[in-house]
Amino acid sequence: MTTDTTDTPSEATTVVRACLVVDCQPTFCEDGELPVAGGNDVCTRGAAFLAAHDGDYDLVMTSQDYHVDPGDHFSATPDFVDSWPPHGVAGTPNAELHPALANARIDVRILKGQHEAAYSLFDGATTDGTAAVDVLRAAGVTDVDVFGIAESHCVFATVLAALRHGFRVRVLSDLTVPVTFEMGHAARHTMLGAGATYLPSTAAFPVPA
């Protein structure tokens, strides 16, 4: 594992790859408080992907919306831009990781948004207060693969933050879903323009010929 901890992992000679699993929680799946169509399928197939590629990642990190009192982020009359119906409420079953991930290898869990709006995984921290980026730096991570919910919101914010921190980023295109097609299209355009790579999970680790 590389010991490089700068914000320019492109200069590192060793690839240390993490998988960032963004907000795969029942609250964002069908029958959840803030459902995204296809959410359950993303979680199920994402868990299968992690099982199949356990040895390909140096670190697996998950994020959870885990709201205690996020202020104006919750609203009885949400605008679905800056305010939303209550979701990911700390201590409720729907704020936990999706049941499909129950047996998945997870090295680090990140909680975000306890007392504020938080979209990016990088807005959160471990239960002992260590920031997500500091965990990745300490592990020498240079490259991250990202999947989860929703492509147009928290995946989008996570990818842009990862790029700002200097990580090389791949989005697993078949393991994420947007809130709407139009929002997903706009998010993909921005992420690609910012330097992310899009590829299906089947192409993430090609089998040598």
Side-chain angles (χ1 to χ4, degrees):
M1 180 178 291
T2 181
T3 57
D4 175 60
T5 58
T6 69
D7 273 355
T8 56
S10 59
E11 297 174 2
T13 57
T14 302
V15 171
V16 179
R17 189 177 299 279
C19 188
L20 308 184
V21 182
V22 179
D23 295 6
C24 280
Q25 302 167 259
T27 197
F28 297 122
C29 295
E30 293 85 347
D31 297 325
E33 294 86 354
L34 201 57
V36 180
N40 280 317
D41 187 54
V42 162
C43 296
T44 300
R45 290 189 296 106
F49 172 81
L50 290 176
H53 295 284
D54 180 72
D56 292 314
Y57 288 109
D58 298 281
L59 185 145
V60 177
M61 176 181 284
T62 61
S63 71
Q64 293 165 246
D65 256 18
Y66 210 71
H67 298 304
V68 177
D69 181 11
D72 292 342
H73 186 59
F74 282 178
S75 174
T77 56
D79 61 16
F80 295 94
V81 176
D82 298 310
S83 61
W84 307 85
H87 61 276
V89 176
T92 66
N94 278 2
E96 299 305 320
L97 291 174
H98 193 281
L101 294 167
N103 297 316
R105 168 198 160 195
I106 298 169
D107 300 306
V108 182
R109 293 192 183 203
I110 297 295
L111 304 181
K112 59 187 178 72
Q114 284 92 329
H115 299 285
E116 60 190 355
Y119 295 90
S120 167
L121 173 149
F122 290 91
D123 292 334
T126 63
T127 55
D128 69 2
T130 304
V133 68
D134 291 336
V135 175
L136 296 171
R137 291 284 178 234
V141 170
T142 59
D143 294 63
V144 297
D145 290 352
V146 183
F147 74 82
I149 309 170
E151 181 184 19
S152 50
H153 289 74
C154 293
V155 168
F156 174 69
T158 297
V159 167
L160 294 186
L163 290 166
R164 287 195 298 271
H165 283 296
F167 297 105
R168 289 182 291 255
V169 181
R170 304 192 305 183
V171 181
L172 303 182
S173 58
D174 58 320
L175 297 181
T176 187
V177 285
V179 171
T180 68
F181 174 84
E182 293 77 13
M183 288 181 176
H185 178 78
R188 286 190 294 275
H189 178 78
T190 300
M191 287 187 278
L192 288 167
T197 298
Y198 254 70
L199 78 167
S201 60
T202 52
F205 301 102
V207 178

